[in-house]
């Protein structure tokens, strides 16, 4: 199925070792999406819960890039926000440098965490105060964290940060609207770097940018990672971006990670049917006429996820077990895969098309 594919991850994923900087353990996040009580009484409907993230485990090695991919609404940003401490988990937790972040309740401890961990968002314009000059935008975290007082030293630091991200020191006097999208993302990166973080959560950092600008920003991020020893959690819809950046990869489907591990292995030899179909949706420039297996059906609602393996209504190799038993992760070389077909060693080399996903309740194809 993937013959001729040219995905290449840049290096192998680090194993889970004491150099794990961030660990997510059994993370579950649910949202109450119920109608107001009166409406529920009148319409005789019950409470509604969004199962955004279910029992997610992952470890990220210091200095590496862990990428999360999956269709819209599968829970990527919810994981990012929980890691950043702005979303409380319903269950499980996040540890940073070995300490559960729930312990960072005091103002001082939470400030320290916010200093060590920064976020870059998809839309740099929305995340930059349009009324502030760039110098003030970059100065704010430095002053807030008490790293430098206003004065010559702070001005020099702002100039240094602007140069680090490829902007001119004189840009400190301009406003965000005077810059292009790519330059604004450089300003966001300079602001994120201002507090000397160890970890940056990057939620679709280049998806609003033109392709050529995307490459420049991604190359800047890699350069900064090498120079400053940064660790990235990278969320992206774009598998080419992931292939360029990721050491490790987690593939999400409806709130769960279905396959994770070494990015090179997952991109070159995916095991989980969802990962295989997801990769198969991407055109291969080396085989433009190659027949591709279709990813059939819609993503089910996280308000009522399917029983068993949540992918079973769309999976071309689902069987009866899949519809009622949630698969556990099994080790496949440098990855973990949650799939009964993988565990039972019954995956065909290429997946059949599923023409009628709703009727797929039979045995393996
Ligand atoms: N505050 C909230 N209240 C209710 N539901 C929410 C809330 N935040 C997220 N959700 C729901 O949780 C699910 C996961 O959302 P999330 O934003 O994490 O997805 P995503 O993978 O980042 O999607 P996208 O690729 O579109 O950004 C979605 O069904 C979303 O509608
Ligand atoms: S074979 Fe079963 S467990 Fe594996 S992805 Fe398909 S439905 Fe899920
Ligand atoms: Mg998102």
């Amino acid at each position: 199925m993937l013959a001729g594919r040219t995905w290449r991850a840049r290096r192998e994923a680090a194993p889970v070792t004491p150099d794990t900087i961030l660990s997510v353990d059994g993370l579950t996040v649910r949202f109450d999406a119920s109608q107001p009580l009166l409406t529920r009484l009148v319409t005789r409907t019950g409470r509604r819960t969004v199962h955004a993230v279910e029992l997610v485990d992952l470890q990220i090695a210091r200095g590496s890039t862990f990428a999360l991919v999956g269709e819209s609404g599968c829970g990527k940003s919810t994981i990012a926000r929980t890691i950043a401490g702005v979303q409380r988990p319903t269950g499980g937790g996040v540890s940073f440098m070995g300490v559960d972040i729930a312990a960072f309740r005091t103002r001082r401890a939470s400030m320290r965490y916010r200093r060590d961990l920064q976020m870059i968002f998809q839309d740099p314009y929305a995340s930059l105060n349009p009324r502030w000059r760039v110098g003030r935008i970059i100065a704010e975290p430095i002053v807030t964290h008490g790293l430098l007082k206003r004065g010559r030293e702070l001005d020099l630091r702002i100039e240094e940060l602007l140069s680090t991200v490829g902007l001119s020191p004189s840009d400190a006097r301009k406003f965000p609207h005077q810059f292009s999208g790519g330059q604004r993302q450089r300003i966001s990166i300079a602001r994120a770097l201002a507090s000397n973080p160890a970890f940056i959560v990057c939620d679709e950092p280049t998806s609003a940018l033109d392709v050529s600008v995307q490459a420049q920003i991604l190359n800047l991020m890699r350069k900064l990672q090498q120079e400053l020893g940064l660790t990235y959690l990278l969320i992206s819809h774009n598998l080419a971006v992931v292939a360029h950046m990721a050491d490790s990869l987690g593939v999400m489907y409806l709130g769960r990670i279905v396959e994770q591990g070494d990015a090179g292995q997952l991109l070159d030899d995916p095991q989980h049917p969802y990962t295989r179909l997801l990769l198969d949706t991407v055109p291969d420039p080396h085989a433009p006429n190659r027949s591709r297996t279709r990813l059939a059906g819609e993503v089910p609602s996280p308000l009522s996820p399917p029983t068993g393996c949540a992918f079973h209504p769309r999976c071309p190799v689902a069987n009866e077990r899949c519809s009622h038993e949630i698969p556990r992760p099994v080790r496949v070389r440098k990855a973990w895969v949650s799939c009964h077909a993988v565990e039972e060693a019954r995956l065909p080399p290429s997946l059949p098309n599923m023409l009628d996903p709703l009727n797929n309740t039979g045995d393996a194809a």
Side-chain angles (χ1 to χ4, degrees), residues 71-121:
E71 284 163 288
S72 183
C74 69
K76 305 179 297 292
S77 294
T78 303
I79 292 182
R81 289 200 304 275
T82 312
I83 287 174
V86 293
Q87 173 65 54
R88 275 188 177 230
T90 311
V94 178
S95 300
F96 185 68
M97 297 191 192
V99 181
D100 186 340
I101 67 166
F104 300 144
R105 279 197 202 96
T106 63
R107 190 176 141 72
R108 202 169 153 188
S110 87
M111 284 291 281
R112 178 66 211 241
Y113 185 54
R114 276 159 213 261
R115 198 179 106 184
D116 286 340
L117 185 141
Q118 291 287 324
M119 270 191 94
I120 302 172
F121 300 94

Side-chain angles (χ1 to χ4, degrees), residues 272-274 309-319 321-323 325-327 338-342 346-347 360:
H272 195 282
Y274 177 65
C309 171
F311 190 53
H312 86 260
R314 301 172 80 190
C315 179
V317 290
N319 67 8
R321 183 185 178 200
C322 304
S323 64
E325 188 181 326
I326 296 174
S338 299
C339 172
H340 296 310
V342 172
R346 61 175 177 82
L347 265 186
N360 184 56

